[in-house]
Amino acid sequence: MLWQVFVLRQRLYNAALEQRIWAWKQNGVSLTFADQCKELTELRADDPEYAALNAQSCQVTLKRLDLAFQAFFRRVRAGQTPGFPRFKSLRRFTGWGYKTHGDGWKLNQGLKLKHGSMRISGVGEIKIRGEARDAGEPKTVEIQLKRGRWFASVTQDCEPQRAHGTERIGFDWGIERFGNPPTACGGGRRPRPRCARFLTFDDGTGVENPRFLRKSERQLKARQRVVSRKKRGSKNRRKAVACLGREHERIANRRTDFLHQQSAKLIARAELLATEQLAVANMTRSARGTVEAPGKNVRQKAGLNRSILDGAPSAFVSMVRTKAAEAGCVLVEAPTRKIKPSQSCPACPRQQKKTLAERVHRCACGCVLPRDQASAQVCLHYALALSGPGTGPGVEGALPPSKHETPSIAA
Ligand SMILES: [Zn+2]
């Protein structure tokens, strides 16, 4: 039943797209969302299949097409060359949504907000699995088909409850991967790559990279090999690709899970968090660089390990940001260029460049600390100076305010 509704929605989407193209070609008219909603009413009067579908949620499908067009025109105006909104095959179509709880769908949550069932008009009662974090009034739902499985993503109106701790914590990333130093007896063997830590705190403790990383890397490689052995265009190859895709999805889920857990733990511990601002451009640029500007430390940065955790810092920080706002905890993202966490000494004002291979901070003042710990401390000191009560305007005045320098204090 879900599948039949899915097919009808996909047809509706494509028909609406065709109608827009046709109206433009024949009459030079741009159809609007409102025009198409009127057409929808007529369609529902003629076609019993569509009459059986929930009217409001059909509008959601039309709205989605409208948004695709809006995005297209916005990017055209911005001088970019976006792809025209395209027809969606059943494989590309993702699903549909409902706008109002009680209109076309109804959620019956189980005990303790766990599992339960969902009623969808024209389909019936469906058991659902999953858990809501906070109690609240259901608002909208998205029914999605992903890799042969059905998902319902419900948004609720709720007051998130989250408590923060009392510690003040600076943290730094230890994402990069580095090899062990070559040993005398190593012979021709390449040193085994090692995963660095995921996070290092200012007191020297930290969070290790998740153990699933190594395992998934092996599995991905194995599945990739299976794919490359199959003949192009063959049925077996398609199966192997699907298998590889599922593995990628599994890893992505575990990664998200790990990041959620770690960010929640951090908020539960701290009232003030400090880290360095992420340089997004640096993180997305390929390690190899270009011919004119070859990248540094290509070998250290390459590898599947990195691809698995690619984007993890920005995902993690955005989770911390949301959770900090929920809990009323302060997150300070220190401007990297200004305070240079990896070059500055946490004990004195000296600065000294380090290469990526230098894992220890050694300063003339006698301060010796692991590199990541030192930079976590530098960030923490910066945050304390910004938000601490004992600091006069001298310190704050020295730091011109900008969007990133103001601590994000949740109301
Ligand atoms: Zn020093």
Side-chain angles (χ1 to χ4, degrees), residues 6-7 42 76 115 155 183 234 264 270 314 323 360 387 394 396 409:
F6 184 84
V7 173
E42 283 165 33
V76 168
H115 309 325
T155 50
T183 48
S234 71
S314 52
K323 293 187 169 87
V360 179
S387 57
E396 294 221 23
I409 299 169

Side-chain angles (χ1 to χ4, degrees), residues 345-350 361 363-367:
C345 175
C348 74
R350 286 192 188 86
H361 168 82
C363 181
C365 74
C367 173

Side-chain angles (χ1 to χ4, degrees), residues 16 33 40 112 142 170 214 277 284 342 344 351 354 362 390:
F33 172 61
L40 175 67
K112 291 183 184 168
E142 289 280 318
R214 254 303 196 17
Q277 206 181 85
T284 51
S342 62
S344 308
Q351 289 194 342
K354 294 189 195 75
R362 272 178 233 280

Side-chain angles (χ1 to χ4, degrees), residues 107-410:
L107 178 70
N108 300 306
Q109 271 175 338
L111 283 174
K112 291 183 184 168
L113 309 179
K114 224 173 174 179
H115 309 325
S117 66
M118 183 176 284
R119 187 165 189 84
I120 296 178
S121 74
V123 177
E125 194 86 11
I126 301 165
K127 274 193 179 170
I128 53 172
R129 272 166 48 88
E131 195 177 345
R133 214 187 62 210
D134 296 295
E137 187 66 23
K139 288 287 171 194
T140 67
V141 68
E142 289 280 318
I143 310 292
Q144 295 169 321
L145 179 62
K146 285 186 210 161
R147 297 183 196 281
R149 288 191 297 170
W150 293 98
F151 293 87
S153 144
V154 180
T155 50
Q156 299 198 130
D157 200 5
C158 63
E159 285 285 320
Q161 299 290 318
R162 191 181 286 281
H164 65 76
T166 53
E167 290 177 65
R168 289 149 174 221
I169 302 174
F171 64 93
D172 188 36
W173 309 103
I175 293 289
E176 80 265 32
R177 171 191 189 188
F178 52 95
N180 289 340
T183 48
C185 59
R189 281 191 67 191
R190 276 163 61 193
R192 268 178 77 85
R194 225 164 23 125
C195 297
R197 270 179 169 183
F198 177 65
L199 291 179
T200 299
F201 301 130
D202 59 283
D203 64 356
T205 60
V207 177
E208 299 302 314
N209 262 336
R211 232 179 280 158
F212 70 78
L213 213 62
R214 254 303 196 17
K215 215 173 121 200
S216 352
E217 188 178 11
R218 276 203 306 271
Q219 268 163 357
L220 272 183
K221 272 185 179 158
R223 302 224 160 145
Q224 184 64 59
R225 270 199 300 275
V226 173
V227 170
S228 58
R229 274 204 300 269
K230 306 289 180 207
K231 220 167 92 188
R232 273 183 182 279
S234 71
K235 205 172 176 184
N236 278 334
R237 187 181 170 102
R238 206 192 305 159
K239 274 189 206 161
V241 168
C243 198
L244 178 69
R246 275 198 300 277
E247 187 62 27
H248 270 294
E249 191 192 334
R250 247 198 300 275
I251 292 170
N253 288 343
R254 297 176 85 175
R255 194 191 80 154
T256 311
D257 221 48
F258 169 78
L259 297 178
H260 269 302
Q261 279 175 19
Q262 294 305 330
S263 53
K265 267 191 201 169
L266 207 52
I267 298 292
R269 275 179 60 191
E271 63 170 355
L272 175 77
L273 286 167
T275 187
E276 71 179 281
Q277 206 181 85
L278 290 171
V280 178
N282 287 344
M283 314 214 66
T284 51
R285 205 182 297 141
S286 126
R288 219 171 283 280
T290 57
V291 180
E292 298 85 55
K296 285 177 188 166
N297 309 301
V298 172
R299 207 172 59 80
Q300 285 96 325
K301 286 178 186 168
L304 277 167
N305 245 339
R306 188 177 131 80
S307 75
I308 292 171
L309 279 179
D310 242 357
S314 52
F316 184 76
V317 168
S318 87
M319 285 180 193
V320 171
R321 233 179 259 142
T322 321
K323 293 187 169 87
E326 284 172 7
C329 164
V330 179
L331 169 70
V332 177
E333 293 169 63
T336 310
R337 286 236 183 89
K338 183 154 288 165
I339 67 161
K340 300 190 172 60
S342 62
Q343 300 175 16
S344 308
C345 175
C348 74
R350 286 192 188 86
Q351 289 194 342
Q352 191 188 336
K353 278 203 173 165
K354 294 189 195 75
T355 65
L356 197 59
E358 273 177 74
R359 305 306 305 170
V360 179
H361 168 82
R362 272 178 233 280
C363 181
C365 74
C367 173
V368 179
L369 280 174
R371 175 202 177 104
D372 297 333
Q373 186 184 353
S375 80
Q377 286 188 4
V378 173
C379 291
L380 181 60
H381 293 167
Y382 171 82
L384 289 174
L386 258 190
S387 57
T391 50
V395 178
E396 294 221 23
L399 306 157
S402 83
K403 200 176 97 201
H404 297 291
E405 284 170 27
T406 19
S408 43
I409 299 169

